[in-house]
Amino acid sequence: MSYSILLVDDDEVNHDIAKTMLGESHDYFSAHNGEEALTLFHERKYDAILLDVVMPGMNGYEVCKAIRSNPSNCDTPVLFVSSKDCIEDKLEGFKAGGDDYITKPFDAAELSFRIDRLVKFSSEIDTLKVNCEAAEEVTLTAITSCSELGLCLEFIENSYQCNTLADLSNAVLSVCRNLDLNASVQLGLLGEFRDFCNFGVINPLESELLKKGRESKTVINIEKRSFFNSAYCSLLIKNMPIDDDEKYGRFNDILALVVRGADARLKSLETNIQAIQAKNKGLRELSQVASKDLEDIELIFKNYNQSCQELVETLIFDVEDSIISFGMSETQEQTLRETLDGAKEDLQKIQEHSEDMSATFNDFFIKLDKLID
C-alpha cells in the first residue's frame, strides 16, 4: 500500500536511508528542521510522520506538540526516530503526543511494520471516534446517575462475576468511562498480559509504558497522565482533572481502589486456574495408570480365556475319544455331546462379555481424557 510520508531529519543521509528502506511506492516529503516540517504539515494531510528527536532549533518533541495543538490533522500518526533508548526519553515522546518510538539503528522490516501499524491504528481510531461520539450521550447519562463512590463499589461487586481478562477490562474501563476518563489498561493471568482501551487503539509506546509501570507497582503522575499499577494490572488515565485539586484527589483514590480490586480478582482467578490445572494433571496421571492396569487385566483375561478354551476343547476331544469304551447308547452319546457343546458355547459367551467390558472401560478412559483436556 502506498502512503504519503513526511520525513523530518536534519541529516539528508537519514532521508535517503528511510526512503531506501520503505521503497519507492510511497510519496515522500522532506523537511530538515522543525519550522520547515510545520510549514509542510499545514500544506496537506499525511498518512504518517517520521520525526527525528535531536535537531537544531525546534527538537522533535516540540514539533510533535505543535502538530498536536493544531486543530487540522492533529491526529496524524507520529513515529519518533532517535538513538536514545532510555525510558525517560520514551516518556517524553509519549508526553509530546507521539504514537510510537523507534531506536536507531533499525532495519527495513521493522520500519515498514511500524509504519503499516500506525496507519492502521489511525484508520481504526477515526472509526472508533465516530462510534464514541454516538455513545457520548449515554456515557454522560450514566455518570450523572451514580456517584463516584457508587461506581467504585459497583466495580468491586461486578469484579467477582468476571472470569476472563476481557470481562474484567470491561468492568475497569466502564468505571473510567463513567468518570469521563480516557483510559488504557493492561491485565494479565499466568504471565500472559493483554491491552485494552476505552477510546481508540493502544499504540506501541503506550503498551510499553503500561508494562514498565506495572513492573514498578507504584502510582506515576505525569501532568494529565497517571499510571496506577499493581502486579497484575496497570491502568493509564490520559486526561486527569489537574485543574481541580479536589476532584483530582478523589479520582486518584477511586482509581487506586479499582486497580487493587482488579489485582485481587486476577490473583483469585490465577489461583483457581492453577488449582484446576493441578487437579486435571492428577486426574490425567490417574487415568494413565488406570488405563495401563486395564491393559494388564485385559491381557490376563485373554490368557485365561485362551486356557479355558484349550481346556474345554481338550476335554471334548478326550470324551469323544473315550465314548466308545463307555458302552453308552446313541441317545446317551448325543446327550453328552450336546452338553459339552453347550458348555463350550457358554464359555464363548463369557469371553465375549469380558471383551465388551474391556471396550466399555476403554471408551470411559477416552472420554475422561477429553474431559480433562
Side-chain angles (χ1 to χ4, degrees), residues 296-314 343-358:
D296 295 340
I297 293 172
E298 184 177 8
L299 180 60
I300 293 172
F301 262 109
K302 286 183 178 179
N303 293 334
Y304 173 76
N305 289 336
Q306 181 65 32
S307 298
C308 290
Q309 183 73 25
E310 292 175 355
L311 180 62
V312 170
E313 291 178 352
T314 300
K344 184 176 181 181
E345 290 177 359
D346 290 341
L347 179 61
Q348 289 175 344
K349 289 180 181 180
I350 293 173
Q351 292 174 339
E352 291 173 358
H353 179 67
S354 65
E355 291 174 357
D356 291 340
M357 289 293 293
S358 177

Side-chain angles (χ1 to χ4, degrees), residues 162-179:
C162 297
N163 296 312
T164 66
L165 293 181
D167 290 342
L168 190 58
S169 71
N170 286 335
V172 173
L173 295 176
S174 177
V175 174
C176 297
R177 280 193 296 269
N178 288 328
L179 294 174

Side-chain angles (χ1 to χ4, degrees), residues 86-96 205 209 222 227:
C86 64
I87 187 64
E88 289 79 8
D89 294 313
K90 294 182 179 181
L91 279 170
E92 190 67 21
F94 179 72
K95 288 166 57 178
L205 185 55
L209 291 173
I222 309 172
F227 291 84

Side-chain angles (χ1 to χ4, degrees), residues 14-15 96 145 179 185 207 228 267 284 286 330 333 353 357 370:
N14 290 333
H15 288 254
S145 67
L179 294 174
V185 64
S207 181
F228 301 85
K267 287 180 180 177
R284 186 176 290 106
L286 178 62
E330 290 185 3
E333 290 180 5
H353 179 67
M357 289 293 293
K370 290 181 179 180

